[in-house]
Amino acid sequence: MKVIYHRCPNCGQIYYSAATLKGDQLICDRCGAIIVPITSEQLKKFIEEEKSKSKKSEDAS
């Protein structure tokens, strides 16, 4: 099964679906912006960035 990842350009919320999203399904639940599809490489990069951000904030505490 192929999974399609989407990301909100405003708040960064990640969505995934095995189906093609359209219409109201492309609206972010958090901020109402239109979500855009991303590649698996972009998803991996985003996850690594989030891990490094959370690690830095833990180190600062």
Side-chain angles (χ1 to χ4, degrees), residues 3-57:
V3 177
I4 302 168
Y5 293 95
H6 292 76
R7 180 171 180 236
C8 176
N10 288 347
C11 69
Q13 178 72 21
I14 298 288
Y15 297 90
Y16 64 94
S17 175
T20 302
L21 300 179
K22 56 186 167 188
D24 290 344
Q25 297 171 325
L26 292 173
I27 298 174
C28 178
D29 294 332
R30 278 191 188 169
C31 68
I34 296 175
I35 60 175
V36 294
I38 59 173
T39 64
S40 58
E41 291 81 19
Q42 289 171 318
L43 177 64
K44 289 176 187 175
K45 182 179 177 184
F46 174 75
I47 291 170
E48 291 300 320
E49 288 173 357
E50 290 299 311
K51 283 182 183 177
S52 67
K53 284 181 188 177
S54 65
K55 190 171 187 176
K56 287 179 185 176
S57 66

